[in-house]
Amino acid sequence: MRRFAESLGALAKLGAGPGLVFGLIGSLLLSLPTDSISLAYPLALTESNQLCSPTQTFSTPWTVDASKLEDVAGGDIVPVRSLADPYPSLHSVAVDPDNNRVLISDSNRGGLLIYDRTSGSGSSGVVEPVRQVRGPATGMMFVAGVALDPGNHELYAVNNDIGDRMEVFPYDSQGNVKPKRVLFVPHGSWGVALNRQREEIAITVEHANTVVVYRRDASLGDAPLRVLHGPKTGLGDPHGITFDEKHNEISVANHGNWAPLTRAESLEGELKGGRFDLPSITTYSGEANKDEVPLRKIQGKRTDLNWPMGISLDTVHDEIAVASYGNDSILIFHRNDQGDVEPVRAIHGSRTALSGPMGVSIDAKNEEIWVTNYREHTAAVFARTAQGNVAPKRIVRNALAGTPAVGFGNPGAVAYDSKRDEILVPN
């Protein structure tokens, strides 16, 4: 508890806003994972081991039939019906070409999927992961960003919006296991990037328009080494992040929406509303801290950036790839591009199988690009130099081809439209 209080004090000295501080306070309230138990997790099976349909309502397989209202006065009541996607929603992706493994986060079911690097084909069948990490002992909830550490054989998973923590697992983790260590992170954390040379971890924080940098082995309430935050940084709802070890730089993908968190951040001390800037990719020095101006910024209508999510750096070919969720594209820029520039290449079109691309990872060693689709139950693998309306080399499916995704992404409310007899679910 004393170390946690010290970390809050360090955050305040670094100029962190209340969003960061209260996010960490909320994290303290979360209990650590329970002891591990051995469980098996099929991708999505009913009690009769038949594949589920995500478009129909179903009774959850771990409960009995719905209770009759007249039999129950209260307490633990089984729902009459449930609407859910029984399949994983693929979020972020990271590739380790040296160990031939691919790590993908499943934000729908709060887990991690580990595939062999050569997984996938052109068929409509389901590709089983080599390993799955999932269950109450893991502590994972809405898992967003992931990273791999080949040197220390560790998996990193950041929880976004709910959870407010980053779990670290060994490479050989399987099933419902406790993490190796847990780091409490600010509320709204999304992306994570590792710098093995500096032994640091950088994490983006959406709502606070912030990047926090920790020691690689930080745990529990350890304070960040640096906090990049302020109007001069150009950070606006940051998501994807990459640490460039070769050039000692940090690059961040920004959606562009920004709002002040404190009176000091407002113009001349007067409270005002936020703003919507164009999406951007901002690049900073590896030691960037506080309200530091970016070294470079890619921003403008010619960039085609539209809700940029995950980003990945290729230091071999000096390129950076961005998953542009809003227009179903993968955009590739020169690493040192600046201003309103067109992408060097773009993967986009009906043949690409891109549908809400969320994560992207360049495998320069094997000349491939991995992409996760949030609106489909797929990950697509392209040639590194792929361009235009091209088909992927292979596809990794976690549901049969043509299976629609429900589309839930951390739903925060629900409403009923009586006129149209429809249920509305904002995400």
Side-chain angles (χ1 to χ4, degrees):
M1 188 66 168
R2 179 179 59 82
R3 184 167 61 163
F4 192 85
E6 290 174 349
S7 71
L8 295 181
L11 273 172
K13 290 180 180 179
L14 287 169
L20 290 175
V21 175
F22 287 116
L24 283 177
I25 292 174
S27 299
L28 181 61
L29 301 178
L30 294 171
S31 59
L32 292 175
T34 58
D35 292 334
S36 61
I37 54 177
S38 177
L39 292 175
Y41 292 99
L43 278 177
L45 300 177
T46 63
E47 294 177 359
S48 59
N49 285 337
Q50 298 296 314
L51 286 174
C52 298
S53 169
T55 57
Q56 66 185 33
T57 58
F58 60 93
S59 296
T60 48
W62 55 87
T63 61
V64 297
D65 291 337
S67 306
K68 295 181 180 179
L69 293 180
E70 60 266 27
D71 296 336
V72 181
D76 189 6
I77 304 174
V78 177
V80 175
R81 61 184 184 275
S82 300
L83 178 62
D85 194 335
Y87 300 98
S89 293
L90 303 187
H91 204 283
S92 297
V93 58
V95 179
D96 175 4
D98 296 330
N99 293 285
N100 286 321
R101 69 178 60 210
V102 178
L103 174 65
I104 297 177
S105 55
D106 171 11
S107 59
N108 180 37
R109 305 183 308 162
L112 299 174
L113 306 173
I114 297 95
Y115 291 92
D116 185 88
R117 185 193 60 80
T118 60
S119 294
S121 66
S123 71
S124 60
V126 174
V127 178
E128 296 289 344
V130 177
R131 289 187 182 89
Q132 294 189 61
V133 183
R134 175 173 169 254
T138 68
M140 289 185 290
M141 299 181 188
F142 188 79
V143 191
V146 293
L148 287 165
D149 184 351
N152 295 288
H153 281 212
E154 292 181 337
L155 315 174
Y156 299 83
V158 170
N159 290 269
N160 173 254
D161 287 342
I162 53 176
D164 296 344
R165 49 201 261 166
M166 180 182 76
E167 291 91 2
V168 182
F169 299 91
Y171 255 31
D172 59 356
S173 297
Q174 166 74 4
N176 184 35
V177 296
K178 291 178 66 174
K180 180 178 180 179
R181 63 181 180 275
V182 172
L183 173 67
F184 299 133
V185 297
H187 179 67
S189 294
W190 197 93
V192 58
L194 170 70
N195 187 319
R196 290 179 290 175
Q197 291 185 2
R198 299 179 61 95
E199 288 287 288
E200 294 178 349
I201 284 282
I203 297 174
T204 56
V205 187
E206 292 178 274
H207 319 306
N209 306 307
T210 300
V211 172
V212 285
V213 181
Y214 297 89
R215 294 191 334 270
R216 179 193 61 80
D217 58 352
S219 64
L220 300 178
D222 285 348
L225 302 172
R226 299 182 298 280
V227 176
L228 182 62
H229 172 79
K232 295 179 183 177
T233 65
L235 293 170
D237 197 0
H239 280 69
I241 185 170
T242 181
F243 231 140
D244 184 350
E245 298 178 358
K246 182 178 179 180
H247 302 96
N248 190 28
E249 293 179 345
I250 298 175
S251 294
V252 180
N254 300 280
H255 283 188
N257 43 295
W258 181 93
L261 296 179
T262 65
R263 183 177 295 273
E265 287 184 356
S266 299
L267 297 177
E268 300 177 355
E270 181 185 352
L271 287 177
K272 292 187 177 181
R275 64 177 185 269
F276 293 96
D277 295 327
L278 290 176
S280 67
I281 301 172
T282 48
T283 299
Y284 312 86
S285 69
E287 297 87 5
N289 193 21
K290 299 183 179 178
D291 194 7
E292 190 164 322
V293 177
L295 302 174
R296 298 182 302 278
K297 179 187 289 187
I298 299 174
Q299 185 180 45
K301 293 183 179 180
R302 298 173 64 196
T303 67
D304 280 339
L305 291 169
N306 191 331
W307 274 28
M309 296 291 188
I311 62 176
S312 180
L313 181 66
D314 178 1
T315 56
V316 176
H317 304 94
D318 244 13
E319 293 180 341
I320 188 167
V322 186
S324 189
Y325 183 94
N327 52 12
D328 294 332
S329 303
I330 298 298
L331 309 175
I332 295 94
F333 298 90
H334 288 302
R335 179 189 62 83
N336 57 358
D337 273 344
Q338 168 89 314
D340 188 7
V341 296
E342 293 182 357
V344 178
R345 296 185 304 281
I347 304 174
H348 175 76
S350 58
R351 300 180 59 205
T352 65
L354 294 178
S355 182
M358 185 73 73
V360 61
S361 184
I362 301 175
D363 177 3
K365 179 178 180 180
N366 297 287
E367 294 283 312
E368 292 182 338
I369 298 180
W370 278 74
V371 182
T372 48
N373 289 307
Y374 198 67
R375 295 199 304 267
E376 291 281 350
H377 294 288
T378 61
V381 184
F382 297 88
R384 183 189 63 81
T385 56
Q387 182 172 1
N389 189 15
V390 296
K393 293 174 59 177
R394 58 187 187 277
I395 294 178
V396 176
R397 301 184 187 276
N398 56 51
L400 295 176
T403 302
V406 171
F408 288 156
N410 195 13
V414 65
Y416 175 63
D417 183 345
S418 58
K419 181 177 180 180
R420 298 174 179 83
D421 193 24
E422 294 178 343
I423 298 175
L424 310 177
V425 185
N427 295 273

